[in-house]
Amino acid sequence: MARIIVVTSGKGGVGKTTSSAAIGLGLALKGHKVVLIDFDIGLRNLDLIMGCERRVVYDFVNVINGEATLNQALIKDKRVSSLSILPASQTRDKDALNKENVGKVLEDLGKLYDFIICDSPAGIEAGAMMALYYADEAIITTNPEVSSVRDSDRIIGMLASRSRRAELGLEPIKEHLLLTRYSPKRVAEGEMLSVEDVEDILSIPLLGVIPESQAVLKASNAGEPVILDTESDAGQAYQDVIDRLLGETIDFRFLVAEKKGIFSRMFGG
Amino acid sequence: MADASIEFKGSSFTLSVLHLKSATLVDIRADLAKKVAQAPDFFYLVPIVVSIDKLNDDIDYQGIKTLIEEFNFTFVGFTGAISKEQRQLIRECGFSFINMAKANTVKKPLLVEGAVAEKPKAVIATPQRDLYTDKIHRGQIRSGQQVYAKDQNLVVIGSVSAGAEVIADGNIHVYGSLRGRAIAGATGHHKAQIYCQKLEAELVSINGNYWLSESMEEHWASPVYIQLTDNELTSSKLI
């Protein structure tokens, strides 16, 4: 049975697609068969982050409408052969998806892959509901900032009421909190919510804390998910997330500001 | 039960109260005549409660009732009796004794005498709202969710998130942080209370009287209960 994981947040721009790409690639690098689905119909981004935008021929909506087969639409990642991407359509809107057909596609993918990662659009409308409906697990991507936390709270409520598992009275969706763009320095200065604050408000288990990092923007522009940048703190933090998803217990890193050494203090590093 | 021909319910009414300063029937008649003469239509068949709190003993209850009815009032009952004996006497004469709603909270002497415990059971016009059952919600109530306990108290085992709303016709208990809105006594119940382990609410309301966060500074982030005293919200620390 494939694990269907939705990466969601409510609020836009918090790092859903970046996280989907990093987690998908990370799991594939561990040898698992992974498919990444872009549910953000009309605002196709995942292919850019994955660096496969030039290889998109058919998309998710074509498959839903029976205009293409899954095999035609799936793009195999050039770096890791066990990873595929199902891109969104850029020319359609979110009403192009319907529950029944999405269910059918997920069922077919479930036979081929170990992990199905659903990159959700922002908002709480039909598109986001479609992305989370069939999920077994959810990664709630949140910035340490009040509006993001409140939107995440709203989405967590939706997971518990609007998903297939909720409707059928099955075991609820397993929730994971992924805190992104975390800056220990700004937390210390009282400008940002701390991990503890966010955990207290949302009260769901913490999956990872990704530090604010220049490496993320660089990686996105290059179409190389940041998890490949093993030198960067963000890349390492995503690596920890993968290990935790696979059941390991790993201490959280990058939670406190690094003490400046004597040289950087002298030269203003 | 649903198709029974009658149903008992408590309701509050505003009634005119005639305060007697003298027990002498002749004096009462004279003053009453003057008053009624000013506006006979206004007083015609008006339900009236007679307060005897300013009188001592030796009251002719039957005489007062007859007198009141001579002037075309509708006699309802007596109020304001302080001693147990007086109340007993009123009942023996076959009249209702009515507790004034405010007397319990405002007048200290009543409490000091331990009269609360001896309150007659059949109190008219006091809604029987203390019999609410509990609606229990397990787990956090998230932003955008609303939980309403109709004709019940609401017990939340978990926190109420900012942007969430909990409403009850009775009391609200939150075993967690209250960050959203809590509306107790929603259909009009001034005795409703709100309890929480950590008060960080956007709004709390009891029987239509509300506070926004800025009014909660005194006990912010503390375990608190909130109640209505003389139509003003007050908060007190739980521990």
Side-chain angles (χ1 to χ4, degrees):
Chain A
M1 273 289 280
R3 282 165 73 176
I4 304 180
I5 304 178
V6 61
V7 179
T8 186
S9 71
K11 193 165 161 36
V14 295
K16 285 182 296 297
T17 302
T18 303
S19 298
S20 300
I23 291 166
L25 189 58
L27 287 168
L29 285 168
K30 289 269 181 183
H32 298 280
K33 285 182 279 179
V34 182
V35 58
L36 275 169
I37 307 180
D38 191 350
F39 271 82
D40 204 348
I41 311 297
L43 293 168
R44 192 179 81 195
N45 285 160
L46 183 65
D47 52 323
L48 287 170
I49 308 291
M50 293 302 295
C52 63
E53 72 276 12
R54 290 164 198 278
R55 297 166 60 208
V56 176
V57 182
Y58 294 107
D59 57 47
F60 194 9
V61 173
N62 294 137
V63 177
I64 291 286
N65 294 344
E67 295 152 6
T69 65
L70 258 181
N71 274 334
Q72 285 174 307
L74 285 170
I75 304 170
K76 264 207 167 12
D77 190 86
K78 283 197 167 161
R79 294 157 291 219
V80 195
S81 62
S82 63
L83 175 66
S84 298
I85 295 115
L86 184 55
S89 167
Q90 183 71 353
T91 52
R92 307 294 288 273
D93 62 34
K94 287 170 177 75
D95 300 329
L97 301 179
N98 65 65
K99 243 180 222 178
E100 196 182 315
N101 292 354
V102 169
K104 180 83 178 51
V105 170
L106 289 176
E107 197 186 322
D108 291 346
L109 289 171
K111 292 171 192 154
L112 306 169
Y113 294 92
D114 305 323
F115 287 92
I116 301 174
I117 312 283
C118 305
D119 181 21
S120 171
I124 53 171
E125 289 77 31
M129 290 305 109
M130 196 65 78
L132 66 78
Y133 185 75
Y134 290 99
D136 302 312
E137 299 175 44
I139 296 176
I140 320 294
T141 315
T142 307
N143 288 166
E145 170 257 328
V146 284
S147 61
S148 173
V149 172
R150 180 172 299 186
D151 292 358
S152 293
D153 194 52
R154 183 99 165 94
I155 276 290
I156 298 169
M158 299 262 183
L159 290 170
S161 60
R162 305 275 294 273
S163 61
R164 178 179 146 277
R165 283 176 173 269
E167 282 178 8
L168 299 182
L170 302 171
E171 198 185 319
I173 291 179
K174 196 172 167 192
E175 299 147 341
H176 307 278
L177 174 62
L178 179 64
L179 213 50
T180 52
R181 309 196 67 167
Y182 193 74
S183 166
K185 188 168 157 280
R186 298 186 66 187
V187 171
E189 286 164 4
E191 293 173 4
M192 203 178 246
L193 295 176
S194 69
V195 177
E196 292 76 28
D197 291 337
V198 181
E199 278 189 294
D200 183 43
I201 295 171
L202 296 180
S203 38
I204 59 170
L206 186 64
L207 176 68
V209 180
I210 312 299
E212 172 85 75
S213 168
Q214 302 290 337
V216 173
L217 183 62
K218 208 174 81 189
S220 296
N221 285 333
E224 295 276 320
V226 71
I227 199 161
L228 294 170
D229 187 351
T230 50
E231 299 291 305
S232 70
D233 46 3
Q236 291 170 21
Y238 274 117
Q239 195 56 59
D240 291 353
V241 167
I242 301 301
D243 291 337
R244 288 192 199 104
L245 270 179
L246 295 173
E248 287 180 47
T249 309
I250 294 174
D251 286 340
F252 290 92
R253 297 193 271 175
F254 317 112
L255 298 187
V256 286
E258 273 178 45
K259 289 223 171 66
K260 282 191 174 178
I262 181 87
F263 287 104
S264 53
R265 236 185 276 172
M266 279 166 70
F267 301 114
Chain B
M1 282 300 284
D3 36 25
S5 65
I6 57 160
E7 189 181 13
F8 274 105
K9 272 189 173 175
S11 289
S12 302
F13 297 96
T14 304
L15 293 177
S16 299
V17 178
L18 180 68
H19 290 271
L20 297 185
K21 295 176 188 168
S22 158
T24 318
L25 291 180
V26 182
D27 295 346
I28 298 171
R29 184 193 303 272
D31 289 331
L32 210 52
K34 261 190 256 172
K35 203 80 188 163
V36 173
Q38 291 171 4
D41 289 344
F42 180 78
F43 290 111
Y44 183 69
L45 289 183
V46 162
I48 201 138
V49 179
V50 177
S51 172
I52 53 164
D53 64 343
K54 296 194 173 66
L55 304 184
N56 298 317
D57 291 335
D58 295 331
I59 302 168
D60 179 1
Y61 298 106
Q62 184 61 55
I64 291 172
K65 188 217 175 205
T66 314
L67 179 58
I68 295 291
E69 285 177 342
E70 264 177 46
F71 285 95
N72 287 322
F73 287 100
T74 306
F75 177 78
V76 179
F78 287 102
T79 188
I82 291 165
S83 70
K84 201 176 164 186
E85 290 74 26
Q86 272 182 330
R87 286 179 218 167
Q88 190 59 38
L89 208 59
I90 289 170
R91 289 186 69 100
E92 279 169 13
C93 292
F95 302 129
S96 303
F97 175 75
I98 301 162
N99 263 353
M100 268 198 252
K102 270 192 173 175
N104 298 335
T105 49
V106 180
K107 286 201 175 174
K108 282 187 179 159
L110 276 179
L111 294 171
V112 174
E113 287 181 5
V116 169
E118 299 162 4
K119 246 194 296 179
K121 290 250 166 63
V123 180
I124 301 175
T126 300
Q128 296 292 302
R129 289 248 177 86
D130 301 330
L131 303 171
Y132 280 143
T133 54
D134 295 328
K135 173 176 182 154
I136 299 174
H137 180 100
R138 283 172 208 277
Q140 189 156 351
I141 300 177
R142 304 282 178 180
S143 182
Q145 294 180 328
Q146 192 185 54
V147 176
Y148 176 33
K150 186 172 164 43
D151 295 330
Q152 282 183 306
N153 300 314
L154 178 60
V155 179
V156 180
I157 303 173
S159 295
V160 177
S161 294
E165 207 166 69
V166 285
I167 308 170
D169 289 343
N171 305 322
I172 294 175
H173 304 254
V174 178
Y175 294 97
S177 301
L178 173 57
R179 300 194 178 97
R181 296 162 165 245
I183 295 154
T187 46
H189 179 23
H190 67 95
K191 279 194 197 162
Q193 304 198 354
I194 297 171
Y195 304 78
C196 64
Q197 287 188 322
K198 199 175 179 194
L199 178 71
E200 296 179 325
E202 294 168 349
L203 177 145
V204 291
S205 164
I206 296 173
N207 195 17
N209 300 271
Y210 68 90
W211 267 354
L212 296 172
S213 319
E214 58 208 31
S215 309
M216 304 172 203
E217 275 164 12
E218 189 188 350
H219 292 127
W220 191 252
S222 308
V224 161
Y225 69 96
I226 297 164
Q227 58 186 342
L228 205 53
T229 313
D230 295 336
N231 276 325
E232 297 262 353
L233 290 177
T234 52
S235 61
S236 320
K237 274 210 153 190
L238 268 178
I239 311 161

